[in-house]
Amino acid sequence: SAPTTLQLSILIYLSDGWCQDWGAELQLLPFVGPPVALEPTFDRAVLFLADRTLHRSLPPRGKGVGQARWLLTVWLDGAGAVDRASRPGAMAPPVQRLVAPALHCAAYLEALRQSLPPGEARTSLLAQQQSEITAVEGDLELVGLLEGLRELQAESEEE
């Protein structure tokens, strides 16, 4: 993924009357941990570190497919912010951004498939992302890190 200074995302759900059965949950994919799904409940605000958390909107289902959905998204730029990666045990956002798509490969690629209509743009984007994931998985300096992260990921999903 390209470098970014985007650090905080705020999502505010504005679709009054959205039913739980209609889906379209926000799924957060913590760097190492099980996915978390949040319903798009009216008046709910969700804040997360955009430079640390892969996320996607799951597709609506049933009657939700034909319903209008409203969401206010605010992104806060972290250019010039204090470097949070200096905390003990923290991984620098650029490294995390590099390995996260490989760590969550299936969910990441599925989210891209669900986000774009079939066509040349989707095919091209999926090929580019798969190429980046393959490069990370084949990088001798990252193989051990990625294997260790996958073990932690599996353990966290078992809990």
Side-chain angles (χ1 to χ4, degrees):
S1 296
T4 181
T5 58
L6 177 67
Q7 287 192 330
L8 184 68
S9 289
I10 305 168
L11 308 177
I12 303 170
Y13 291 92
L14 303 171
S15 295
D16 196 9
W18 189 264
C19 295
Q20 180 180 0
D21 293 342
W22 295 352
E25 299 89 348
L26 170 67
Q27 185 179 58
L28 302 175
L29 299 161
F31 186 55
V32 176
V36 176
L38 301 168
E39 294 175 30
T41 305
F42 176 70
D43 229 9
R44 169 176 277 166
V46 180
L47 288 81
F48 58 92
L49 296 172
D51 63 339
R52 303 273 177 137
T53 308
L54 287 177
H55 63 284
R56 66 180 180 154
S57 290
L58 297 173
R61 52 185 185 266
K63 292 182 180 178
V65 172
Q67 297 293 323
R69 296 184 290 159
W70 297 97
L71 168 74
L72 174 65
T73 303
V74 178
W75 295 288
L76 300 179
D77 192 311
V82 174
D83 181 13
R84 293 185 318 270
S86 62
R87 295 186 328 244
M91 187 173 289
V95 174
Q96 185 171 328
R97 287 180 57 82
L98 180 66
V99 298
L103 181 62
H104 297 288
C105 181
Y108 184 73
L109 293 173
E110 182 61 22
L112 293 176
R113 280 186 206 91
Q114 293 172 342
S115 298
L116 297 168
E120 188 176 327
R122 181 171 85 171
T123 301
S124 177
L125 180 62
L126 285 168
Q128 176 62 35
Q129 294 304 309
Q130 184 62 63
S131 174
E132 289 180 20
I133 289 168
T134 301
V136 168
E137 291 175 332
D139 188 309
L140 296 178
E141 294 182 23
L142 296 175
V143 167
L145 172 64
L146 191 54
E147 287 174 359
L149 290 170
R150 285 182 172 150
E151 288 175 17
L152 287 172
Q153 179 72 23
E155 289 172 14
S156 73
E157 291 175 356
E158 290 173 3
E159 296 174 355

